[in-house]
């Protein structure tokens, strides 16, 4: 699967309220032992990510995460921007930095919220 398809399936999984459909998307996009880390959470493996996304839906009903840039990729690494939309407005923006597994699925995602801090 091409990287764009993998990232698209990953993003769709975050927006999918049905757990069985979310699981199918993550089986396409997420390596079995992949990790997800952002400033507020960490998930190791597909099951923990499925649970984390369920928690997101419970805490923010109706919110969605939208890819806000193209995918920048080299040497098995990638990055892309995203935004969290809630009630028709952007509630948060961020960037995900990832690593691809040998089979092309995501091995890790490291998420950052907001713009980088100003230079000191």
């Amino acid at each position: 699967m091409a990287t764009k398809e993998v990232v698209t399936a990953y993003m769709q999984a975050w927006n999918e309220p049905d757990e069985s459909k979310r699981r199918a998307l993550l089986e396409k996009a997420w390596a079995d032992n992949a990790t997800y880390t952002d400033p507020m959470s960490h998930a190791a493996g597909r099951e923990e990510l499925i649970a984390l996304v369920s928690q997101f839906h419970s805490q923010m009903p109706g919110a969605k995460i939208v890819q806000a840039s193209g995918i920048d990729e080299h040497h098995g690494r990638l990055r892309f921007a995203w935004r969290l939309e809630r009630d028709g407005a952007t509630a948060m923006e961020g960037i995900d930095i990832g690593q691809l597994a040998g089979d092309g699925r995501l091995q890790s995602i490291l998420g950052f919220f907001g713009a980088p801090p100003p230079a000191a």
Side-chain angles (χ1 to χ4, degrees):
M1 185 181 304
T3 300
K4 182 177 180 178
E5 294 174 59
V6 168
V7 171
T8 297
Y10 167 73
M11 296 298 288
Q12 288 173 338
W14 275 97
N15 295 318
E16 178 54 63
D18 181 89
E19 185 174 316
S20 63
K21 292 178 183 177
R22 183 182 324 127
R23 181 178 302 279
L25 288 163
L26 288 174
E27 285 174 3
K28 291 180 187 176
W30 200 249
D32 297 339
N33 61 348
T35 59
Y36 172 88
T37 306
D38 70 27
M40 297 171 35
S41 56
H42 178 76
R46 191 177 301 118
E47 294 304 316
E48 286 188 18
L49 183 58
I50 289 168
L52 180 64
V53 176
S54 292
Q55 183 180 11
F56 166 75
H57 283 280
S58 295
Q59 293 174 343
M60 300 185 136
K64 64 181 181 175
I65 300 175
V66 178
Q67 189 174 329
S69 74
I71 301 163
D72 191 16
E73 177 185 2
H74 67 84
H75 296 91
R77 308 287 196 273
L78 57 89
R79 68 176 176 163
F80 59 91
W82 52 266
R83 68 180 176 271
L84 172 66
E85 295 180 351
R86 191 167 191 195
D87 300 324
T90 298
M92 181 188 298
E93 296 178 313
I95 187 167
D96 278 1
I97 298 169
Q99 181 175 356
L100 297 171
D103 66 4
R105 293 184 295 172
L106 292 164
Q107 180 63 50
S108 67
I109 287 286
L110 179 60
F112 290 87
F113 299 163

